[in-house]
Amino acid sequence: MTRPILLVLLLALCALALGTERTCPYCHQKYDPNVRHYDNRALNNVLYTAARLENYKFTPAEKKAALRIVQRESDGFVTMRCPTSTSRGLFGLLNRTRRDVGIVHNLCPVCQTRSGIRYIKQRKQYQGSFTRALRYHLRRGDY
């Protein structure tokens, strides 16, 4: 009689661990930690949410440039990690850069996008523009 009960409890715990959404402690947005890759549709939602939290206005050209930077840096993988540097996440930011913009790296795509927006806003040469950052990125390979 205890075996069926244990089996049911074990299955319930596995279901909770595999399919649960979590709330990010930094941005308070829900995300699924099991999702490692975001396609363009999902990234659009993430960009919109992060822009709202950062009071950033995306024009269609800016949004397209931001998506292209993400595509070139991580191909939409939140777990992307460069083997030769500390570059991580959707925007491929270094550990020091993330610390400078005040966002802790985690698997939350909204936090990763917020750090990308803050970085673009802080770099004087980009003047808060993802299109300028993309032009620089296409010329130099980094941004």
Side-chain angles (χ1 to χ4, degrees), residues 5-22 32-34:
I5 292 172
L6 287 176
L7 183 61
V8 168
L9 286 174
L10 182 62
L11 289 173
L13 286 174
C14 287
L16 281 175
L18 291 176
T20 58
E21 285 188 338
R22 291 189 184 155
D32 187 349
N34 298 315

Side-chain angles (χ1 to χ4, degrees), residues 43 62-76 89-93 116 119-120 126 129-138 142-143:
L43 282 172
E62 291 290 308
K63 187 176 268 192
K64 188 175 180 180
L67 288 172
R68 192 137 176 239
I69 289 172
V70 168
Q71 192 70 27
R72 292 180 61 92
E73 286 291 324
S74 68
D75 201 24
L90 291 173
F91 284 87
L93 297 178
Y119 173 68
I120 297 298
Y126 302 149
S129 169
F130 277 92
T131 53
R132 288 175 191 255
L134 178 62
R135 265 185 273 156
Y136 183 87
H137 183 63
L138 292 174
D142 62 353
Y143 75 106

Side-chain angles (χ1 to χ4, degrees), residues 64-130:
K64 188 175 180 180
L67 288 172
R68 192 137 176 239
I69 289 172
V70 168
Q71 192 70 27
R72 292 180 61 92
E73 286 291 324
S74 68
D75 201 24
F77 286 92
V78 291
T79 57
M80 188 287 303
R81 197 175 201 165
C82 180
T84 59
S85 73
T86 61
S87 170
R88 290 180 174 182
L90 291 173
F91 284 87
L93 297 178
L94 301 172
N95 285 343
R96 181 176 179 185
T97 305
R98 281 192 307 277
R99 276 194 306 271
D100 289 347
V101 297
I103 302 276
V104 176
H105 178 75
N106 59 22
L107 291 178
C108 174
V110 174
C111 281
Q112 290 185 18
T113 304
R114 289 178 71 194
S115 64
I117 291 171
R118 286 183 185 182
Y119 173 68
I120 297 298
K121 285 164 89 173
Q122 284 183 0
R123 290 285 302 259
K124 289 181 184 178
Q125 67 195 61
Y126 302 149
Q127 299 173 353
S129 169
F130 277 92

